[in-house]
Amino acid sequence: MGSVEDEVKQLIIDVLQLEDITPADIDTDAPLFADGLGLDSIDALELGVALHKRYGISLSGDAVRRHFASVRSLAAMIASHRTK
């Protein structure tokens, strides 16, 4: 698992205050919404704010759906943003 993926998992846990979950409990490829981690639209908003604060990333509606698909997709987006 890459370090950016670890960062994303810890960010999810910290921002959403998931006290009973560790980074190892989050499947990198599982969906963040619905049957995966079970996040909802409010969680997505909070996570988006945290991404903006930590990485300076702002996302539009379509980008949110695409990049918030899984931890892996969020990590890839953050990694590509860092190389710009």
Side-chain angles (χ1 to χ4, degrees), residues 29-33 64-74:
D29 295 308
L32 294 179
F33 299 93
V64 169
R65 285 185 211 97
R66 184 173 64 249
H67 295 301
F68 278 43
S70 66
V71 167
R72 186 175 310 279
S73 62
L74 271 175

Side-chain angles (χ1 to χ4, degrees), residues 12-82:
I12 291 169
I13 290 168
D14 293 345
V15 168
L16 304 179
Q17 300 175 357
L18 304 175
E19 298 172 1
D20 297 333
I21 294 180
T22 67
D25 294 332
I26 300 174
D27 182 347
T28 303
D29 295 308
L32 294 179
F33 299 93
D35 294 334
L37 195 54
L39 303 185
D40 61 22
S41 59
I42 300 298
D43 296 330
L45 179 62
E46 290 178 8
L47 197 51
V49 169
L51 287 170
H52 182 70
K53 285 181 180 178
R54 183 171 288 181
Y55 302 106
I57 297 171
S58 296
L59 300 171
S60 67
D62 289 339
V64 169
R65 285 185 211 97
R66 184 173 64 249
H67 295 301
F68 278 43
S70 66
V71 167
R72 186 175 310 279
S73 62
L74 271 175
M77 185 256 317
I78 291 167
S80 73
H81 186 267
R82 285 180 174 171

